[in-house]
């Protein structure tokens, strides 16, 4: 279900973008309990001065390799699950394409189960809530 | 009020994008009770490998004509209204520009009435709430 | 913490974009109580027909200089703070780069404190909530 927007500097190879795309997807599979194939990503490349990240805010050292990952996902994940997601994305992207962990920023935005239509004009999660959402344990009051 | 981000593959004619833009706007007019002229859309085109949609997730058959429509709108619409919106967008886009219904994905994100400034630095919906928001019936507790 | 997406027509000088970027950041510093260096912005330029804004909705006169500013920020700011933000952004952009106030639209989207990772796979605001969020006064029930 999540919709992912990945923003990075222009000028990298296809394989670089593919590595980021794969890493984010795999980390989401491992930590968010999303099903196989739930992969919807928009990757945008930005010219000089159009992807702006403070070089040192929060004690990081950010460079031109900075990548901003914004994920829209259904409400209900605990803080612990979100923390596991952040860790896993960064672990993956440090291995491939070899980013420095300081260069990976992640922002989540939560939406409702009735905020998704995957095609055919249907609200699939209204008719069939995803497995993870069927456990009351994981949904905050 | 809604802000719409429409993402599609690069390389289509202006008329193709216009048809999508018009269809989404008209469907919102018909189902969300937004006023005439409430049209704010950002259309982005993406090269190969930069608009990623699983070809079969949720039983769809997605192709290069895949279109992702993300709508930011004020909180308060019922699930039934959202479902009507999804159906109407897809109906419109199947007629023109002739998309296959499997290729239309829609994601909503809700915001508050005080989250909008339409110009002049004013929060117009704080001063004058929209008609649809004045009926308590439509606003979830 | 806020993530800012700024959309404008293509074809402007670097200095024009820089003025908008600076003005939005400074207005956020002055009204949202964000720390020095909390600046993360994505600026996108759009060709003809791809940044669509009704020319007169809500009584404005919008032109090709229309700028749409979408800000993702943590929940908890009062309506009064949001109104101050809108006013200050518009004041700044009217001075430099000299926009007309009718051409500045702002949309906010609120997220949680645990929705941010500024790097290293950590959720910095879970471990250390920002100063403004430690005052119960500012957080709606």
């Amino acid at each position: 279900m999540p919709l992912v927007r990945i923003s990075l500097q222009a000028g990298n190879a296809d394989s670089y973008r593919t590595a980021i795309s794969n890493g984010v997807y795999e980390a989401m599979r491992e930590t968010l309990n999303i099903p196989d194939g739930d992969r919807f990503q928009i990757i945008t490349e930005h010219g000089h001065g159009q992807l702006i990240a403070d070089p040192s805010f929060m004690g990081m050292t950010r460079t031109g390799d900075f990548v901003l990952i914004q994920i829209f996902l259904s409400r209900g994940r605990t803080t612990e699950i979100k923390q596991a997601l952040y860790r896993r994305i960064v672990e993956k992207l440090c291995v491939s394409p070899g980013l420095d962990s300081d260069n990976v920023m992640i922002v989540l935005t939560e939406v409702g189960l009735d905020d998704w239509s995957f095609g055919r004009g249907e609200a699939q999660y209204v008719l069939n809530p995803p497995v993870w959402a069927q456990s009351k344990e994981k949904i905050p009051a």
Side-chain angles (χ1 to χ4, degrees), chain A residues 16-140:
Chain A
Y16 182 90
R17 290 195 303 274
T18 300
I20 294 175
S21 165
N22 287 346
V24 171
Y25 170 65
E26 290 162 11
M28 291 169 58
R29 285 276 290 151
E30 294 174 19
T31 59
L32 294 185
N33 201 15
I34 60 170
D36 184 30
D38 187 353
R39 180 172 182 160
F40 299 93
Q41 301 175 326
I42 299 171
I43 303 176
T44 50
E45 297 185 295
H46 303 272
H48 182 69
Q50 303 200 19
L51 175 57
I52 298 169
D54 187 83
S56 62
F57 184 68
M58 282 277 171
M60 304 292 150
T61 301
R62 298 187 185 87
T63 70
D65 290 334
F66 176 75
V67 175
L68 201 151
I69 300 163
Q70 186 175 24
I71 303 174
F72 297 83
L73 77 173
S74 292
R75 253 183 295 280
R77 271 77 179 201
T78 62
T79 294
E80 290 70 29
I81 290 176
K82 293 177 181 181
Q83 289 174 306
L85 172 66
Y86 303 148
R87 281 194 301 270
R88 201 70 188 111
I89 288 176
V90 168
E91 286 169 1
K92 294 271 187 188
L93 301 191
C94 288
V95 172
S96 174
L99 294 178
D100 186 282
S101 67
D102 286 23
N103 271 327
V104 182
M105 177 165 165
I106 305 162
V107 184
L108 309 185
T109 303
E110 296 186 321
V111 305
L113 287 178
D114 62 355
D115 289 332
W116 302 91
S117 174
F118 292 94
R120 297 185 195 159
E122 298 169 356
Q124 284 85 0
Y125 284 154
V126 171
L127 306 173
N128 296 296
V131 174
W132 64 266
Q134 293 172 17
S135 160
K136 283 276 189 292
E137 310 292 301
K138 290 182 184 170
I139 305 180

